[in-house]
């Protein structure tokens, strides 16, 4: 059978008489380019969705689930929660926001519909390689941000609309309170166990992909122990953000891990000129407090080993060298 594609709906041009058209469906909010790559998908509400399952969906099935998702979109926009499973939506949003997943509402963002069930469910959670501050742009190392109200046309805005709904926000706050201990344990306790499990594999991965070792590492640190310290620090700060987001009175202890060590920061001007600082372990330094330079000639201080801009949001855990990036002309 051929694939029908009118630019809005895409599916196989046949019927599947033995399947119940009511489900189940696994739906992915996806990049626009994915519509051309997949054999089944649709557009609704200005967004692109593709079908993970059934991946051989017929046109009738795609039309059915497209209409279903459109109704859910309309309901959310009108302030109604009648078309969604509130608990799964709340839990998925809390996870995405907690780890600051940059793919959230862009791609690898799944929903599912059960057979003979009228509700749309959020999940399963998947693909977190761009979370916890792991990104080349310094902006995303900022642990104070939110995924809500980003304002980009390609970012699905359901979470933003739902969090503007007082009934939903109250439900989400309740789910957060119920799972607060679990979230804290991920970086207070569980992360140390995960470190033991993955440490050898991480070291071998760096050997295998040495040429690709870059700012995409967890924080800009060389030592794996410091990468894990950074993860704990980042998630601790995200928990503080979550408490503020839900206007909660839950107390979040500061899990910042610092030692009595000191580290050397070297700021290299060029032509042999440099400035050396000795700072306490765990220190955060504001950009405005870095060594002065001629702003007409340079953009700012960059990490020498990875050539990424200096970030206040990365505590000093090891010796580092910085160089000045020439101003773009």
């Amino acid at each position: 059978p051929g694939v029908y594609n009118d630019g809005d709906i895409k599916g196989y041009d046949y019927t599947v008489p033995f399947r119940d058209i009511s489900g189940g469906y696994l739906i992915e909010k996806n990049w626009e380019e994915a519509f051309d790559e997949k054999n089944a998908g649709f557009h609704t509400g200005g967004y692109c969705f593709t079908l993970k399952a059934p991946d051989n969906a017929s046109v009738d099935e795609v039309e059915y689930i497209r209409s279903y998702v459109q109704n859910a979109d309309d309901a959310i926009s009108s302030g109604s929660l009648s078309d969604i499973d509130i608990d799964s939506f709340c839990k998925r949003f809390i996870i995405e926001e907690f780890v600051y997943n940059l793919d959230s509402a862009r791609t690898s963002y799944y929903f599912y519909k059960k057979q003979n069930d009228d509700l749309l469910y959020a999940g399963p959670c998947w693909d977190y390689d761009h979370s916890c501050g792991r990104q080349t742009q310094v902006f995303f190392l900022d642990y104070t941000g939110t995924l809500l109200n980003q304002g980009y046309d390609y970012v699905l805005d359901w979470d933003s609309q739902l969090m503007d709904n007082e009934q939903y926000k109250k439900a989400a706050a309740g789910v957060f309170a119920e799972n607060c201990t679990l979230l804290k344990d991920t970086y207070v306790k569980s992360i140390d166990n995960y470190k033991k499990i993955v440490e050898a594999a991480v070291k071998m991965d760096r050997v295998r992909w040495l040429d690709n070792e870059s700012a995409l590492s967890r924080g800009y640190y060389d030592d794996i122990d410091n990468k894990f310290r950074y993860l704990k620090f980042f998630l601790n700060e995200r928990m503080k953000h979550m408490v503020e987001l839900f206007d909660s009175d839950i107390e979040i202890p500061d899990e910042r891990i610092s030692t009595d060590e000191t580290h050397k920061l070297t700021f290299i001007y060029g032509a042999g000129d440099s400035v050396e600082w000795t700072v306490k372990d765990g220190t955060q330094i504001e950009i405005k407090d870095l060594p002065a330079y001629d702003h007409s000639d340079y953009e700012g201080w960059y990490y020498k080993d990875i050539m990424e801009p200096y970030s206040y949001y990365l505590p000093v855990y090891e010796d580092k060298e910085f160089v000045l990036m020439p101003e773009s002309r």
Side-chain angles (χ1 to χ4, degrees):
V3 174
Y4 173 84
N5 181 5
D6 66 1
D8 198 31
I9 289 178
K10 190 176 184 181
Y12 283 94
D13 193 12
Y14 63 2
T15 58
V16 189
F18 56 86
R19 279 208 297 247
D20 185 336
I21 200 170
S22 73
Y25 295 91
L26 180 58
I27 310 153
E28 179 181 4
K29 162 64 181 71
N30 221 327
W31 297 114
E32 185 62 38
E33 304 82 63
F35 187 81
D36 295 327
E37 300 170 359
K38 307 295 183 179
N39 290 326
F42 57 90
H43 291 88
T44 190
Y47 303 107
C48 174
F49 295 87
T50 56
L51 288 183
K52 199 75 173 181
D55 59 358
N56 62 345
S58 69
V59 174
D60 288 343
E61 289 174 312
V62 176
E63 288 180 333
Y64 169 84
I65 195 62
R66 177 186 180 275
S67 177
Y68 176 87
V69 172
Q70 181 64 66
N71 288 338
D73 182 48
D74 292 340
I76 291 171
S77 297
S78 69
S80 171
L81 305 179
S82 60
D83 286 39
I84 66 171
D85 174 69
I86 297 174
D87 186 64
S88 65
F89 269 73
C90 290
K91 287 178 177 176
R92 203 264 299 278
F93 166 69
I94 289 168
I95 292 173
E96 302 284 313
E97 187 77 5
F98 172 52
V99 300
Y100 204 178
N101 180 23
L102 300 183
D103 282 334
S104 179
R106 290 168 165 82
T107 186
S108 300
Y109 198 65
Y110 290 96
F111 303 90
Y112 62 94
K113 181 191 181 299
K114 301 176 183 179
Q115 192 175 92
N116 300 317
D117 187 329
D118 291 335
L119 295 179
L120 182 66
Y121 293 78
C125 296
W126 186 255
D127 195 3
Y128 285 79
D129 56 330
H130 288 160
S131 64
C132 299
R134 183 181 189 261
Q135 186 55 279
T136 52
Q137 297 95 330
V138 160
F139 169 77
F140 293 117
L141 296 170
D142 179 352
Y143 44 73
T144 65
T146 180
L147 298 171
L148 297 172
N149 304 309
Q150 296 183 59
Y152 299 113
D153 291 341
Y154 54 83
V155 177
L156 185 64
D157 64 352
W158 288 355
D159 285 330
S160 298
Q161 292 188 66
L162 288 169
M163 284 295 287
D164 285 337
N165 182 309
E166 287 303 318
Q167 179 186 350
Y168 179 86
K169 186 172 183 179
K170 182 177 180 180
V175 172
F176 172 69
E178 291 171 7
N179 292 276
C180 187
T181 299
L182 177 63
L183 292 174
K184 286 191 292 184
D185 281 351
T186 60
Y187 61 88
V188 175
K189 297 179 181 179
S190 302
I191 196 169
D192 291 323
N193 295 327
Y194 289 133
K195 178 178 180 293
K196 296 175 184 177
I197 295 171
V198 306
E199 184 170 5
V202 170
K203 290 178 178 178
M204 288 304 299
D205 188 68
R206 292 188 66 177
V207 172
R208 173 64 179 84
W209 301 105
L210 182 62
D211 291 341
N212 292 329
E213 179 66 16
S214 68
L216 286 176
S217 299
R218 300 274 180 206
Y220 303 163
Y221 304 106
D222 296 321
D223 188 275
I224 188 172
D225 289 332
N226 290 331
K227 295 180 188 295
F228 275 88
R229 291 174 67 193
Y230 163 70
L231 275 174
K232 290 183 178 183
F233 167 80
F234 186 93
L235 293 175
N236 186 215
E237 295 298 326
R238 291 304 294 171
M239 279 297 291
K240 296 174 185 176
H241 160 75
M242 299 295 289
V243 166
E244 183 178 347
L245 178 68
F246 289 116
D247 194 23
S248 171
D249 58 2
I250 297 173
E251 293 187 6
I252 304 299
D254 195 338
E255 298 292 339
R256 185 183 301 246
I257 304 170
S258 58
T259 69
D260 294 330
E261 295 182 26
T262 59
H263 304 289
K264 183 173 71 174
L265 304 183
T266 304
F267 299 88
I268 303 170
Y269 283 95
D273 297 329
S274 63
V275 174
E276 289 188 356
W277 286 4
T278 299
V279 301
K280 291 183 179 180
D281 182 72
T283 298
Q284 290 178 266
I285 306 169
E286 297 275 6
I287 292 178
K288 65 180 179 61
D289 295 328
L290 297 179
Y293 59 89
D294 189 339
H295 288 266
S296 64
D297 292 333
Y298 299 101
E299 290 184 5
W301 291 107
Y302 276 59
Y303 295 86
K304 181 181 178 181
D305 51 350
I306 54 175
M307 293 309 294
E308 286 289 326
Y310 170 84
S311 174
Y312 160 80
Y313 299 101
L314 292 173
V316 177
Y317 291 148
E318 55 194 25
D319 295 354
K320 283 292 180 182
E321 293 185 335
F322 301 89
V323 296
L324 286 170
M325 174 66 71
E327 182 72 33
S328 302
R329 302 298 182 186

